[in-house]
Amino acid sequence: MLKTLFIGDIFAKPGRRAVEALVPQLRHEYNLDIVIANAENAAAGRGVTQKIAQQMTNAGVDFMTTGNHVWDQRQFLNEIENVPNIVRPANVPKGTPGRGCAIAQARDGTKVAVLNLCGKVFMPYDCPFAIAKPMAERLLQETPVLIVDIHAEATSEKIAMGLHLDGIASLVVGTHTHVQTADETILPAGTAYITDVGMTGPHDSVIGVNPYNGVERFLTQLPPNYTPAKNDARLSAVYVEIDPETGRASRIERLSAPAPS
């Protein structure tokens, strides 16, 4: 079995600290073959940089996905081509820097296809359903193992994508809303699924932001102050076992681990 860990949205320095502290331990405990993480909030809660992507790689993350905040650190527009183990959403306009999918390699040599999609509901992206199956079929020509990150606002859209790709993808994970859902399951045709993996970062917060800033935004409707919270860092993830010959999943387990203070 291909032992896989998918880590939910890494948020700012507390999230990075949780990854650095816990991933080596989890790699040993679960004898992991590959670790994938959503890193689109890794730089101060807004975007990612080449330096931070390398920092996460050094901590034991093999591959990274992103989402709607991928370009919030403007320098990453020029840096993404220099980061081979990261993808941005696939359903963006043609000519956008970076790749929407890629073939990663697990530490046991297994090829793992990774596809990154953004939802359309409440987001300015092309329809992810229109491209999901054609892109999946192309990737499956190289490997039966396919992991899909659907970075979306609406739980309904994420659930629908899981069902849309059941029996095609090995794992479909939802990201973006930063709150881990308790609906991890193996779908009827063998795809592991969870609506949201959760956030890796400061859980004593409003989805990563200083709680006072988060409340103030709703009270005043003024432009938000995205100051990351600092305390109670936790890692949220799912552990999944996948048959590397068929691409079907046999186990999915939710994880939520506190980082050492």
Side-chain angles (χ1 to χ4, degrees):
M1 286 295 171
L2 183 74
K3 298 176 179 180
T4 305
L5 188 74
F6 193 103
I7 300 171
D9 307 42
I10 301 170
F11 193 94
K13 189 174 182 179
R16 302 198 306 268
R17 189 177 75 244
V19 168
E20 291 173 325
L22 295 172
V23 167
Q25 173 185 327
L26 291 168
R27 291 205 82 115
H28 175 75
E29 180 180 348
Y30 286 88
N31 192 26
L32 296 171
D33 296 305
I34 189 165
V35 176
I36 303 171
N38 185 292
E40 71 135 14
N41 296 130
R46 304 280 301 216
V48 64
T49 65
Q50 181 179 354
K51 180 179 178 181
I52 286 174
Q54 185 60 56
Q55 182 183 356
M56 295 298 90
T57 301
N58 294 344
V61 175
D62 299 303
F63 206 86
M64 287 161 279
T65 58
T66 56
N68 60 303
H69 289 298
V70 62
W71 309 126
D72 282 11
Q73 301 293 326
R74 296 288 294 175
Q75 69 198 71
F76 199 58
L77 281 163
N78 299 317
E79 293 178 340
I80 192 169
E81 303 292 354
N82 301 321
V83 185
N85 61 335
I86 199 166
V87 285
R88 45 86 174 144
N91 51 326
V92 296
K94 190 174 181 180
T96 300
R99 302 171 293 167
C101 61
I103 302 296
Q105 190 168 53
R107 298 196 176 187
D108 68 348
T110 301
K111 289 183 177 180
V112 178
V114 181
L115 173 60
N116 196 179
L117 299 168
C118 256
K120 185 176 181 180
V121 178
F122 308 130
M123 287 189 180
Y125 289 89
D126 294 337
C127 179
F129 291 88
I131 66 168
K133 280 188 177 179
M135 293 192 75
E137 289 167 0
R138 178 162 58 88
L139 291 165
L140 290 173
Q141 293 177 8
E142 295 194 53
T143 175
V145 180
L146 170 61
I147 295 174
V148 179
D149 177 355
I150 171 67
H151 194 80
E153 288 273 8
T155 53
S156 57
E157 189 172 20
K158 292 189 262 193
I159 292 168
M161 183 60 74
L163 295 171
H164 185 58
L165 295 177
D166 186 21
I168 297 172
S170 307
L171 169 64
V172 176
V173 297
T175 59
H176 178 66
T177 46
H178 290 201
V179 178
Q180 190 179 70
T181 54
D183 62 342
E184 72 280 9
T185 189
I186 305 294
L187 296 171
T191 294
Y193 172 82
I194 187 168
T195 298
D196 201 283
V197 185
M199 178 185 67
T200 295
H203 280 242
D204 184 11
S205 68
V206 176
I207 62 169
V209 174
N210 182 300
Y212 300 104
N213 297 148
V215 172
E216 182 183 25
R217 177 186 179 186
F218 289 101
L219 285 171
T220 66
Q221 298 300 305
L222 293 173
N225 178 358
Y226 283 113
T227 303
K230 297 180 179 179
N231 300 319
D232 189 27
R234 302 182 200 174
L235 182 142
S236 296
V238 285
Y239 167 73
V240 184
E241 293 183 357
I242 300 167
D243 185 331
E245 300 297 326
T246 65
R248 301 286 70 82
S250 59
R251 176 184 175 188
I252 180 169
E253 175 187 344
R254 234 177 335 121
L255 303 176
S256 180
S261 56

